[in-house]
Amino acid sequence: MTLQQLYGVLLAGGVVLLASIAAARTATRLGLPSLLLFLALGLLLGEDVLGIDFDNAQAAQTLGTAALAIILIEGGLSTRWSDLRRMLAPSALLATFGVAVSVVVTAAGAHLLLGMEWRLALLLGAIVSSTDAAAVFAVLRALPLPRRLAGIVEAESGFNDAPTVILVLVFSTTAGLPDPADVAGQVGYQLAVGAVVGLLVGRIGVAALRYVALPASGLYPLTTLGLGILAFAAAGAANASGFLAAYLAGIVLGNAVLPHRAATRSFAEGLAWLAQIGLFVMLGLLVDPSELGSAVVPALLAGLVLLLVARPLSVVACLAPFRVPLRDQAFISWAGLRGAVPIVLATFPIVAAVPGSGTLLNLVFVLVVVFTLVQGPTLPAVGRLLGVARADQPQEVDIESAPLDTVGAELLTVSVPPGSRLHGVEIFELRLPSPAVVTLVVREGRTFVPDGGTRLLQGDQALIVTTGATRTAVEDRLREVGRGGRLARWHTATSTSRNPRPPRPRPSSGEAGSRGPSGEADSRASSGEADFRASAGGAGSRAAADGAPSPPPDRTARSERPARPEAARRPVSDTARPGARPRGRGGE
C-alpha cells in the first residue's frame, strides 16, 4: 500500500466513523437502536449502491468475533457484582437451559413451517437464540426499570453468547444430527473452563494492578483491556468459551478497587462503540440487498415463532421456580433483543461450507433488522403497559473515583440524575460513614462548599473525600439513599457518621458569652460545623496546592432553601433527640 492509498483509506474510514456517530445521535433522538442505522450505512456502502465489494465470510467471522469480545469486556466492566449476585441463578439458567428451549422450539417451527431439514433448522434456532449484549445494554440502561429486572436481562445477554456459539460450531462441523450427550459434554467443558480462565485472569490482573505502579495513567485502561483480551484468547486456545472468559474477566476487573477506574470505563466504552460501528457496517457490507427480498417471508415466520412461542416458553420454564412476577416475565420475553451476534454466528456455517448457509445468512439478517425495529422502540411502551417501567422509578446514582495515593484517600464524584431520590436530601441526612465528608457541590456550572443543611438537587455533582477502607461503605450508603430517599435505613456497618447536623441559629451578640444548656448545645453545633468545614477546606487546600484555586463557599445555598418551621429552628440538645448518643466537645 502506498502512502496515497493509505491517505485514501484513512479518509474513507474517518468519514464512515463520523457518519456512524451522527447516525447514533439520530437513532437516539428517534428512539431507535443505533445498530439499525449502522447496518443501513453498511448496505449503502455495499456493492449494490456505492460499489464497495465485500463478500469474505471468513474475514467477517474473524473480525466480528474480535469485536464481540471487546463489547463483552466493556459489558463486564460496567456490570456491578452487587446487582449481578442477586440475579446470577436466574440469568445463568436463562443463558443455558433457556437457550436450549429456544433452539428446540425455533428449530421445530422452522422445520414445520419452512420445510427446512433438521440440521439447518437447528442452526437457525441456535443462531437466533442469543440476545445481543450491545443492543440490550444500550436500550435497557436508558429505561426506568427496577435493577433486579434490568439486571436479569443484562446478565443473560452477557452469558448466553457462549452456549450459542458452542451450539453453532457443533451443528456446523457435524454432519447430520449430533448426539445430545456429546453436545452437552462439549457445552459443559467449554463453559466450565472458560469461567475458570476468566476468573483466574481477572483475579491475577487485579492483584497486579493494585501492587504495580504504572508510569502513566493512560496505561491502566490499556492494561485492563489487555487482560480481558488475554482471558478471551487463553480460553479459546484451550478450546473453551472465550466469550464467557472475557465477560467474567471484565466483571472481576470492573468491580475491583483499582486506580483510574473511571478512565478505564470511559476508554472501554469508547472502544466498544468503535467495535459496534465497525461490526455493523461490515455486516451490512457482507449482505447483498438484492438477495434479501426472497428471505422476508421466511424471516417473518421464524421470527414470530421465536418472539411469540420460543422466547416466552424459555422464560417461563427458567424463571417460574424463582417466583418472578408474570409481568416481569412478559417484559423479559419482549426484551430479548437480537443484534450483531446472530449475524456474526450466521457466517460460521458459510465458512464450514454447510449447504444452504448463504440463504440462512439472508434470513437471519432480515429477522434481526425487522424484529429489532419492532421490539426496540416499543420496549418503553411495553414496560409502561406492564407496569414495570415507572416514571418515579429511582435511578441509580453515577459514582466514580480517582485515587489520592499520597493521603491514602479517594475522591468520589456523585451525580444526581433525574428520578434519583437523592434530590432534596440534605447533606447531614446522608449519614455517610466516618470519616467521609462532602467537600464540594457543582450546581449549574458554579461550585460551592456545602454545609450540613445544603440540599442536593437534580443535576448536582458532589465531591466526597473518603478513605480506601470506607469507600465501598460510602458507595453503598449513597445508593441506599438514592433508592429510598432520606428515610433509607442507616448504615450500621461502620462507626457513627461524622457528618454534621444542619447549623443551628447562632446566638445574638448579647448572648455570645452566655453558658447554660442552650449555650452548650450551640457550642457543640458550632464545633461540628467547624469540623465539617475544615475537612472541606483540607480538600480545597490540596486542590490549591496542585494549582487549582479553591472555590469560595456558597453564600446563597442557605437562602435558596425553603425556610424551616419555627419549631425546627429551635436548638435541641442531643439528649432530646430520639436515638442520639451523647456527644463530647468538638463533635466527637
Short mmCIF file of all heavy atoms in Angstrom, two decimals, residues 12-63:
data_model
loop_
_atom_site.label_atom_id
_atom_site.label_comp_id
_atom_site.label_asym_id
_atom_site.label_seq_id
_atom_site.Cartn_x
_atom_site.Cartn_y
_atom_site.Cartn_z
N ALA A 12 -11.57 7.65 4.02
CA ALA A 12 -12.85 6.93 3.94
C ALA A 12 -13.26 6.43 5.32
O ALA A 12 -14.44 6.53 5.71
CB ALA A 12 -12.75 5.78 2.95
N GLY A 13 -12.30 5.87 6.07
CA GLY A 13 -12.62 5.38 7.41
C GLY A 13 -13.08 6.48 8.33
O GLY A 13 -14.03 6.30 9.12
N GLY A 14 -12.43 7.64 8.27
CA GLY A 14 -12.85 8.76 9.12
C GLY A 14 -14.24 9.26 8.78
O GLY A 14 -15.04 9.56 9.67
N VAL A 15 -14.54 9.32 7.49
CA VAL A 15 -15.89 9.75 7.08
C VAL A 15 -16.95 8.76 7.55
O VAL A 15 -18.00 9.15 8.06
CB VAL A 15 -15.93 9.92 5.54
CG1 VAL A 15 -17.37 10.14 5.08
CG2 VAL A 15 -15.06 11.09 5.10
N VAL A 16 -16.67 7.46 7.40
CA VAL A 16 -17.63 6.44 7.85
C VAL A 16 -17.82 6.51 9.36
O VAL A 16 -18.95 6.40 9.87
CB VAL A 16 -17.15 5.03 7.42
CG1 VAL A 16 -18.01 3.95 8.07
CG2 VAL A 16 -17.20 4.90 5.91
N LEU A 17 -16.72 6.70 10.11
CA LEU A 17 -16.81 6.79 11.57
C LEU A 17 -17.66 7.98 12.00
O LEU A 17 -18.55 7.85 12.85
CB LEU A 17 -15.41 6.88 12.17
CG LEU A 17 -15.34 7.04 13.69
CD1 LEU A 17 -15.97 5.84 14.38
CD2 LEU A 17 -13.89 7.21 14.14
N LEU A 18 -17.39 9.15 11.41
CA LEU A 18 -18.17 10.34 11.79
C LEU A 18 -19.63 10.21 11.36
O LEU A 18 -20.54 10.65 12.08
CB LEU A 18 -17.54 11.59 11.17
CG LEU A 18 -16.13 11.94 11.68
CD1 LEU A 18 -15.58 13.14 10.94
CD2 LEU A 18 -16.18 12.22 13.18
N ALA A 19 -19.86 9.60 10.20
CA ALA A 19 -21.24 9.37 9.76
C ALA A 19 -21.96 8.42 10.71
O ALA A 19 -23.15 8.59 11.01
CB ALA A 19 -21.25 8.82 8.34
N SER A 20 -21.24 7.42 11.22
CA SER A 20 -21.84 6.48 12.16
C SER A 20 -22.16 7.15 13.48
O SER A 20 -23.20 6.87 14.09
CB SER A 20 -20.90 5.29 12.38
OG SER A 20 -20.63 4.61 11.18
N ILE A 21 -21.28 8.03 13.95
CA ILE A 21 -21.56 8.76 15.19
C ILE A 21 -22.79 9.65 15.02
O ILE A 21 -23.65 9.73 15.91
CB ILE A 21 -20.32 9.59 15.59
CG1 ILE A 21 -19.17 8.64 15.96
CG2 ILE A 21 -20.64 10.52 16.75
CD1 ILE A 21 -17.85 9.35 16.20
N ALA A 22 -22.88 10.33 13.86
CA ALA A 22 -24.08 11.13 13.59
C ALA A 22 -25.33 10.25 13.53
O ALA A 22 -26.41 10.64 14.00
CB ALA A 22 -23.90 11.90 12.28
N ALA A 23 -25.19 9.05 12.96
CA ALA A 23 -26.32 8.12 12.90
C ALA A 23 -26.73 7.68 14.30
O ALA A 23 -27.93 7.53 14.59
CB ALA A 23 -25.96 6.90 12.05
N ALA A 24 -25.76 7.46 15.19
CA ALA A 24 -26.09 7.08 16.56
C ALA A 24 -26.86 8.18 17.26
O ALA A 24 -27.81 7.91 18.01
CB ALA A 24 -24.81 6.75 17.33
N ARG A 25 -26.47 9.43 17.05
CA ARG A 25 -27.20 10.56 17.65
C ARG A 25 -28.62 10.62 17.10
O ARG A 25 -29.58 10.83 17.85
CB ARG A 25 -26.45 11.86 17.35
CG ARG A 25 -27.15 13.11 17.84
CD ARG A 25 -26.33 14.35 17.51
NE ARG A 25 -27.06 15.57 17.81
CZ ARG A 25 -27.11 16.16 18.98
NH1 ARG A 25 -26.46 15.63 20.00
NH2 ARG A 25 -27.80 17.27 19.16
N THR A 26 -28.75 10.44 15.79
CA THR A 26 -30.09 10.46 15.18
C THR A 26 -30.95 9.32 15.70
O THR A 26 -32.14 9.51 16.01
CB THR A 26 -29.96 10.35 13.65
OG1 THR A 26 -29.15 11.43 13.17
CG2 THR A 26 -31.33 10.41 12.99
N ALA A 27 -30.37 8.13 15.83
CA ALA A 27 -31.12 6.98 16.32
C ALA A 27 -31.60 7.21 17.75
O ALA A 27 -32.73 6.84 18.11
CB ALA A 27 -30.27 5.72 16.25
N THR A 28 -30.77 7.83 18.58
CA THR A 28 -31.16 8.10 19.96
C THR A 28 -32.35 9.06 20.00
O THR A 28 -33.28 8.88 20.78
CB THR A 28 -29.97 8.69 20.73
OG1 THR A 28 -28.89 7.75 20.70
CG2 THR A 28 -30.36 8.96 22.18
N ARG A 29 -32.30 10.09 19.16
CA ARG A 29 -33.41 11.05 19.13
C ARG A 29 -34.70 10.41 18.64
O ARG A 29 -35.79 10.76 19.09
CB ARG A 29 -33.04 12.23 18.23
CG ARG A 29 -32.00 13.16 18.84
CD ARG A 29 -31.81 14.39 17.97
NE ARG A 29 -31.00 15.39 18.63
CZ ARG A 29 -30.73 16.58 18.13
NH1 ARG A 29 -31.22 16.90 16.93
NH2 ARG A 29 -29.99 17.45 18.80
N LEU A 30 -34.58 9.46 17.71
CA LEU A 30 -35.77 8.80 17.16
C LEU A 30 -36.24 7.63 18.00
O LEU A 30 -37.28 7.04 17.72
CB LEU A 30 -35.49 8.32 15.73
CG LEU A 30 -35.18 9.40 14.69
CD1 LEU A 30 -34.85 8.77 13.36
CD2 LEU A 30 -36.36 10.36 14.55
N GLY A 31 -35.46 7.26 19.02
CA GLY A 31 -35.82 6.12 19.85
C GLY A 31 -35.56 4.79 19.19
O GLY A 31 -36.19 3.78 19.53
N LEU A 32 -34.61 4.74 18.24
CA LEU A 32 -34.30 3.51 17.53
C LEU A 32 -32.96 2.96 18.01
O LEU A 32 -32.07 3.73 18.37
CB LEU A 32 -34.21 3.77 16.01
CG LEU A 32 -35.48 4.24 15.31
CD1 LEU A 32 -35.15 4.59 13.86
CD2 LEU A 32 -36.55 3.17 15.35
N PRO A 33 -32.78 1.65 17.99
CA PRO A 33 -31.45 1.09 18.26
C PRO A 33 -30.47 1.55 17.18
O PRO A 33 -30.77 1.46 15.98
CB PRO A 33 -31.68 -0.42 18.22
CG PRO A 33 -33.14 -0.60 18.47
CD PRO A 33 -33.81 0.59 17.86
N SER A 34 -29.31 2.01 17.59
CA SER A 34 -28.35 2.57 16.63
C SER A 34 -27.84 1.52 15.65
O SER A 34 -27.41 1.87 14.54
CB SER A 34 -27.18 3.20 17.37
OG SER A 34 -26.58 2.28 18.26
N LEU A 35 -27.91 0.25 16.02
CA LEU A 35 -27.40 -0.79 15.13
C LEU A 35 -28.13 -0.79 13.79
O LEU A 35 -27.55 -1.17 12.76
CB LEU A 35 -27.48 -2.16 15.80
CG LEU A 35 -28.87 -2.75 16.09
CD1 LEU A 35 -29.36 -3.60 14.93
CD2 LEU A 35 -28.82 -3.59 17.36
N LEU A 36 -29.40 -0.39 13.79
CA LEU A 36 -30.14 -0.38 12.53
C LEU A 36 -29.55 0.60 11.54
O LEU A 36 -29.42 0.31 10.34
CB LEU A 36 -31.61 -0.04 12.81
CG LEU A 36 -32.40 -1.07 13.63
CD1 LEU A 36 -33.81 -0.56 13.90
CD2 LEU A 36 -32.44 -2.41 12.90
N LEU A 37 -29.18 1.79 12.02
CA LEU A 37 -28.59 2.78 11.12
C LEU A 37 -27.17 2.39 10.72
O LEU A 37 -26.73 2.70 9.62
CB LEU A 37 -28.61 4.16 11.78
CG LEU A 37 -30.00 4.74 12.07
CD1 LEU A 37 -29.90 6.17 12.54
CD2 LEU A 37 -30.89 4.66 10.83
N PHE A 38 -26.45 1.72 11.60
CA PHE A 38 -25.12 1.23 11.23
C PHE A 38 -25.23 0.19 10.11
O PHE A 38 -24.44 0.21 9.15
CB PHE A 38 -24.40 0.62 12.43
CG PHE A 38 -24.13 1.58 13.55
CD1 PHE A 38 -23.93 1.13 14.84
CD2 PHE A 38 -24.09 2.95 13.33
CE1 PHE A 38 -23.68 2.01 15.88
CE2 PHE A 38 -23.83 3.84 14.36
CZ PHE A 38 -23.63 3.37 15.64
N LEU A 39 -26.18 -0.73 10.24
CA LEU A 39 -26.39 -1.72 9.18
C LEU A 39 -26.82 -1.05 7.88
O LEU A 39 -26.36 -1.43 6.79
CB LEU A 39 -27.46 -2.73 9.61
CG LEU A 39 -27.07 -3.73 10.70
CD1 LEU A 39 -28.29 -4.52 11.16
CD2 LEU A 39 -25.99 -4.69 10.20
N ALA A 40 -27.68 -0.04 7.98
CA ALA A 40 -28.11 0.68 6.78
C ALA A 40 -26.93 1.38 6.12
O ALA A 40 -26.84 1.42 4.88
CB ALA A 40 -29.19 1.70 7.15
N LEU A 41 -26.03 1.93 6.92
CA LEU A 41 -24.85 2.57 6.36
C LEU A 41 -23.98 1.55 5.62
O LEU A 41 -23.44 1.83 4.54
CB LEU A 41 -24.05 3.24 7.47
CG LEU A 41 -22.79 4.02 7.06
CD1 LEU A 41 -23.15 5.13 6.09
CD2 LEU A 41 -22.09 4.58 8.29
N GLY A 42 -23.85 0.34 6.19
CA GLY A 42 -23.10 -0.71 5.50
C GLY A 42 -23.75 -1.10 4.19
O GLY A 42 -23.05 -1.30 3.17
N LEU A 43 -25.08 -1.22 4.18
CA LEU A 43 -25.78 -1.54 2.93
C LEU A 43 -25.57 -0.44 1.90
O LEU A 43 -25.42 -0.71 0.70
CB LEU A 43 -27.27 -1.73 3.21
CG LEU A 43 -27.67 -2.98 4.01
CD1 LEU A 43 -29.16 -2.94 4.33
CD2 LEU A 43 -27.34 -4.24 3.22
N LEU A 44 -25.57 0.81 2.36
CA LEU A 44 -25.39 1.94 1.44
C LEU A 44 -24.00 1.92 0.81
O LEU A 44 -23.83 2.27 -0.37
CB LEU A 44 -25.60 3.25 2.20
CG LEU A 44 -25.47 4.56 1.41
CD1 LEU A 44 -26.56 4.64 0.35
CD2 LEU A 44 -25.55 5.76 2.33
N LEU A 45 -23.01 1.50 1.60
CA LEU A 45 -21.65 1.45 1.07
C LEU A 45 -21.40 0.23 0.20
O LEU A 45 -20.37 0.16 -0.48
CB LEU A 45 -20.64 1.43 2.23
CG LEU A 45 -20.59 2.68 3.11
CD1 LEU A 45 -19.70 2.43 4.32
CD2 LEU A 45 -20.07 3.88 2.32
N GLY A 46 -22.32 -0.73 0.21
CA GLY A 46 -22.11 -2.02 -0.44
C GLY A 46 -22.11 -1.97 -1.94
O GLY A 46 -22.26 -0.93 -2.59
N GLU A 47 -21.97 -3.15 -2.51
CA GLU A 47 -21.80 -3.31 -3.95
C GLU A 47 -22.99 -2.79 -4.74
O GLU A 47 -22.83 -2.24 -5.83
CB GLU A 47 -21.56 -4.79 -4.26
CG GLU A 47 -21.26 -5.09 -5.71
CD GLU A 47 -20.98 -6.57 -5.93
OE1 GLU A 47 -21.12 -7.35 -4.97
OE2 GLU A 47 -20.64 -6.93 -7.06
N ASP A 48 -24.20 -2.94 -4.22
CA ASP A 48 -25.39 -2.55 -4.97
C ASP A 48 -25.63 -1.05 -4.98
O ASP A 48 -26.44 -0.56 -5.78
CB ASP A 48 -26.63 -3.24 -4.37
CG ASP A 48 -26.67 -4.72 -4.72
OD1 ASP A 48 -25.72 -5.20 -5.37
OD2 ASP A 48 -27.62 -5.41 -4.32
N VAL A 49 -24.95 -0.28 -4.11
CA VAL A 49 -25.20 1.17 -4.06
C VAL A 49 -23.92 1.92 -4.42
O VAL A 49 -23.78 2.43 -5.53
CB VAL A 49 -25.73 1.59 -2.67
CG1 VAL A 49 -26.07 3.08 -2.65
CG2 VAL A 49 -26.96 0.76 -2.30
N LEU A 50 -22.99 2.04 -3.48
CA LEU A 50 -21.77 2.80 -3.74
C LEU A 50 -20.65 1.94 -4.32
O LEU A 50 -19.60 2.47 -4.67
CB LEU A 50 -21.29 3.48 -2.45
CG LEU A 50 -22.23 4.55 -1.89
CD1 LEU A 50 -21.63 5.21 -0.66
CD2 LEU A 50 -22.53 5.61 -2.95
N GLY A 51 -20.83 0.64 -4.34
CA GLY A 51 -19.92 -0.20 -5.10
C GLY A 51 -18.79 -0.85 -4.36
O GLY A 51 -17.88 -1.41 -4.99
N ILE A 52 -18.77 -0.80 -3.01
CA ILE A 52 -17.71 -1.50 -2.28
C ILE A 52 -18.05 -2.98 -2.22
O ILE A 52 -19.09 -3.37 -1.70
CB ILE A 52 -17.56 -0.92 -0.86
CG1 ILE A 52 -17.16 0.56 -0.93
CG2 ILE A 52 -16.52 -1.70 -0.06
CD1 ILE A 52 -17.02 1.21 0.42
N ASP A 53 -17.15 -3.80 -2.76
CA ASP A 53 -17.40 -5.24 -2.85
C ASP A 53 -16.74 -5.94 -1.66
O ASP A 53 -15.51 -5.92 -1.51
CB ASP A 53 -16.84 -5.78 -4.16
CG ASP A 53 -17.16 -7.26 -4.37
OD1 ASP A 53 -18.02 -7.77 -3.61
OD2 ASP A 53 -16.56 -7.88 -5.25
N PHE A 54 -17.56 -6.54 -0.79
CA PHE A 54 -17.03 -7.28 0.35
C PHE A 54 -17.91 -8.52 0.54
O PHE A 54 -19.08 -8.42 0.91
CB PHE A 54 -17.06 -6.42 1.62
CG PHE A 54 -16.58 -7.15 2.85
CD1 PHE A 54 -15.23 -7.40 3.04
CD2 PHE A 54 -17.48 -7.61 3.81
CE1 PHE A 54 -14.78 -8.07 4.17
CE2 PHE A 54 -17.04 -8.29 4.93
CZ PHE A 54 -15.69 -8.52 5.12
N ASP A 55 -17.36 -9.69 0.28
CA ASP A 55 -18.11 -10.94 0.44
C ASP A 55 -17.25 -12.01 1.10
O ASP A 55 -17.45 -13.20 0.85
CB ASP A 55 -18.66 -11.43 -0.89
CG ASP A 55 -17.54 -11.62 -1.93
OD1 ASP A 55 -16.37 -11.37 -1.58
OD2 ASP A 55 -17.86 -12.01 -3.06
N ASN A 56 -16.31 -11.60 1.93
CA ASN A 56 -15.39 -12.52 2.59
C ASN A 56 -15.97 -12.92 3.95
O ASN A 56 -15.83 -12.21 4.94
CB ASN A 56 -14.02 -11.87 2.77
CG ASN A 56 -12.96 -12.87 3.20
OD1 ASN A 56 -13.26 -13.89 3.82
ND2 ASN A 56 -11.71 -12.58 2.87
N ALA A 57 -16.66 -14.06 3.98
CA ALA A 57 -17.29 -14.51 5.22
C ALA A 57 -16.26 -14.87 6.28
O ALA A 57 -16.50 -14.67 7.48
CB ALA A 57 -18.20 -15.71 4.93
N GLN A 58 -15.10 -15.39 5.86
CA GLN A 58 -14.07 -15.75 6.83
C GLN A 58 -13.54 -14.51 7.54
O GLN A 58 -13.38 -14.51 8.78
CB GLN A 58 -12.92 -16.46 6.10
CG GLN A 58 -11.75 -16.83 7.01
CD GLN A 58 -12.09 -17.91 8.00
OE1 GLN A 58 -12.33 -19.05 7.62
NE2 GLN A 58 -12.12 -17.58 9.29
N ALA A 59 -13.30 -13.43 6.79
CA ALA A 59 -12.84 -12.19 7.41
C ALA A 59 -13.93 -11.60 8.31
O ALA A 59 -13.64 -11.09 9.41
CB ALA A 59 -12.45 -11.18 6.33
N ALA A 60 -15.17 -11.69 7.87
CA ALA A 60 -16.27 -11.18 8.70
C ALA A 60 -16.39 -11.96 9.99
O ALA A 60 -16.63 -11.37 11.07
CB ALA A 60 -17.59 -11.25 7.91
N GLN A 61 -16.21 -13.28 9.92
CA GLN A 61 -16.28 -14.10 11.13
C GLN A 61 -15.15 -13.74 12.09
O GLN A 61 -15.36 -13.56 13.30
CB GLN A 61 -16.19 -15.57 10.77
CG GLN A 61 -16.09 -16.50 11.97
CD GLN A 61 -15.86 -17.95 11.56
OE1 GLN A 61 -16.33 -18.40 10.54
NE2 GLN A 61 -15.11 -18.67 12.37
N THR A 62 -13.92 -13.59 11.57
CA THR A 62 -12.78 -13.30 12.43
C THR A 62 -12.89 -11.92 13.07
O THR A 62 -12.73 -11.77 14.29
CB THR A 62 -11.48 -13.40 11.61
OG1 THR A 62 -11.39 -14.70 11.01
CG2 THR A 62 -10.27 -13.16 12.48
N LEU A 63 -13.15 -10.91 12.25
CA LEU A 63 -13.25 -9.55 12.78
C LEU A 63 -14.47 -9.40 13.69
O LEU A 63 -14.42 -8.70 14.71
CB LEU A 63 -13.32 -8.55 11.62
CG LEU A 63 -12.07 -8.47 10.74
CD1 LEU A 63 -12.31 -7.53 9.56
CD2 LEU A 63 -10.88 -8.00 11.55
#
